Amino acid sequence: MASLVESGWQYLVTHFSDFQLACIGSFLLHESVFFLSGLPFIYLERQGFLTKYKIQAKNNTPAAQGKCITRLLLYHFCVNLPLMMASYPVFRAMGMRSSFPLPSWKEVSAQILFYFIIEDFVFYWGHRILHSKWLYKNVHSVHHEYATPFGLTSEYAHPAEILFLGFATIVGPALTGPHLITLWLWMVLRVLETVEAHCGYHFPWSLSNFLPLYGGADFHDYHHRLLYTKSGNYSSTFVYMDWIFGTDKGYRRLKSLKENSDLKQT
C-alpha cells in the first residue's frame, strides 16, 4: 500500500508543479469528494428511499435543491478557488511541502487528530458568534435557509461566512505546516464529516452510534430546526464543547423525552 501511494505521488510531483497540486489539485479533490458524497442524499430524498432513517419528515423541493447546487458552484469557483490560490504563499511560508519523503502514518494521524480538535474549538466559538442577532440576520441566515438540511447544504452559506468559518478549517494546518498529502486527507475527512452532519438521515451505521463524542446528523439537524436564539449545538464534529458550555440542553432534553416515550410504547 505504501509503495502504491508513493508511486502515485511520484507521478503527481513529476507532472505537476507544487502550485498546481496545492491549488488546482486541492480544488478538484474537494469538488469531487463534496459532490460525490452529497448528491446521493438528494436522490434519496427525491425517490423516498430509506425514509425510516430520515430525521425530518419534510422534504426539500427540486427547485430548492437546484438553487443550492447553483449557488454552491458559484461560491466554490468565485470564493473557494481564489482563496486557495491566495493562501498558497502563506502555507508555503509556514512549511507546507509536496516533496519526498512522504510523512509517516503516525505523523499524519497525529496532525489530523490535532486539526479535528482545534477546528472544533475554533468553529464552536465562530459559529456561536454568528448566532448573535445582527450576524445571524445579515450573514448566517443564508445557511439556515434550509431548515431541513441535506448533504450539500453543509457548504451553502454567505461568502462572508465561508471566509469566517473557513479559518477554523485552515488554522490547524497553518500552525503545523503539513505535507500536502496530509492536507488532502484532512480536507477529505472534513468534507465527509460535514456532509454527513447535514445529510438529514440517522442510519444504524452512523458514526454517532459508535463514537460517544461524535455529533453527526441527529445532533446538527436539531440545530437547523430551531430559531437562532434557541438552537444551540454549535460544534462542528464533536459534542463536548456544547456540553461544557451548556448549549446542548434543549437537544438533550428532547432526546430524553423521546427515549422515555419510546420506552412507554414498548
Side-chain angles (χ1 to χ4, degrees), residues 190-257:
R190 180 70 182 101
V191 168
L192 292 177
E193 181 276 321
T194 192
V195 167
E196 194 271 338
H198 289 80
C199 74
Y201 290 81
H202 184 69
F203 302 110
W205 55 87
S206 295
L207 281 178
S208 56
N209 293 327
F210 308 101
L211 300 178
L213 295 178
Y214 185 82
D218 188 61
F219 184 81
H220 193 70
D221 200 277
Y222 174 86
H223 175 81
H224 274 263
R225 295 200 302 269
L226 299 191
L227 295 173
Y228 78 94
T229 54
K230 302 180 183 298
S231 55
N233 290 20
Y234 300 117
S235 300
S236 60
T237 304
F238 306 113
V239 300
Y240 59 85
M241 288 292 291
D242 282 285
W243 179 79
I244 291 172
F245 293 99
T247 47
D248 64 346
K249 290 180 179 178
Y251 171 72
R252 289 181 178 274
R253 191 179 301 114
L254 182 65
K255 285 204 72 173
S256 178
L257 290 172

Side-chain angles (χ1 to χ4, degrees), residues 255-266:
K255 285 204 72 173
S256 178
L257 290 172
K258 185 178 179 182
E259 289 170 0
N260 291 334
S261 176
D262 291 342
L263 285 173
K264 289 179 181 179
Q265 293 175 8
T266 56

